Amino acid sequence: GAKVLHYTHTRLTYYPNGSEYRCCDCCEPLPYVKTRVENETKNFPDDGIFIDNVVANSAWLSYYSNIASAARIADPHRPVGMNENCAHAGDARCSPYCEYFGHSSAECSDCRTSRCSTMPESFMDLADVHLLSEGYAADSDYQTNATFNLTGNIAHRNKMSMFTYNATSSEWRGLIDKAAAAGFTKFWVSDTIPGPATTSFL
């Protein structure tokens, strides 16, 4: 049956001076994120956790391992999903405020690597579902660039998910088939970006 996953972001959502900011690439202090996760699991003990803005490289492995562990303190089988930043094409440095919040310069130098080329295989053990391709129908190629055997490993493939936006209903089947051919096993296709008027196929 279906499982509800409660959302938690790990990007910075404010400047150090306290003024609100719409979105930074990464990454809030670990204790703050863990507290949010612990509150969600306490209030919704039968549900899972969806961790967004995941920086999937070795420098951040401990950070996200701690968050996943916090989600499973009371229930080691609680479902966890992750949306890796490397689901998008292109590289990106972290927010200029990354180091201000206690992260190292090594961590802050690399917050998104195109196609997950620096994601260690051990990241796959942290969650039950990994969102490894997110984009629009017009430019979705469902390519990954992992250095380990991602699509040839059945356990890994069973965790591979994609999100595709701005797809008409007539395009859904073709996009799902294309993603499946690239190794994906979980699919979310929408006629627009997420919002109240979204029609989706899961």
Side-chain angles (χ1 to χ4, degrees), residues 142 162 171-184 187 189:
Y142 307 113
M162 61 75 143
E171 295 177 297
W172 290 359
R173 170 50 60 187
L175 291 167
I176 291 169
D177 288 344
K178 185 177 179 181
F184 289 82
F187 316 99
V189 185

Side-chain angles (χ1 to χ4, degrees), residues 68 72 82 120-128 130 155-156 159:
R72 292 173 168 144
M82 286 186 168
E121 188 170 9
S122 48
F123 250 94
M124 297 301 293
D125 297 328
L126 300 184
D128 304 289
H130 290 269
H156 294 345
K159 298 180 178 185

Side-chain angles (χ1 to χ4, degrees), residues 56-128:
N57 61 40
S58 296
W60 290 94
L61 179 60
S62 176
Y63 176 90
Y64 286 101
S65 179
N66 272 278
I67 296 171
S69 294
R72 292 173 168 144
I73 287 177
D75 180 1
H77 302 293
R78 187 185 309 281
V80 173
M82 286 186 168
N83 180 7
E84 277 80 358
N85 282 348
C86 59
H88 308 276
D91 300 333
R93 193 186 187 282
C94 299
S95 161
Y97 297 104
C98 175
E99 292 177 43
Y100 178 93
F101 285 99
H103 305 303
S104 70
S105 58
E107 289 173 325
C108 297
S109 66
D110 181 12
C111 270
R112 187 177 73 203
T113 304
S114 183
R115 311 301 191 190
C116 301
S117 60
T118 62
M119 181 173 72
E121 188 170 9
S122 48
F123 250 94
M124 297 301 293
D125 297 328
L126 300 184
D128 304 289

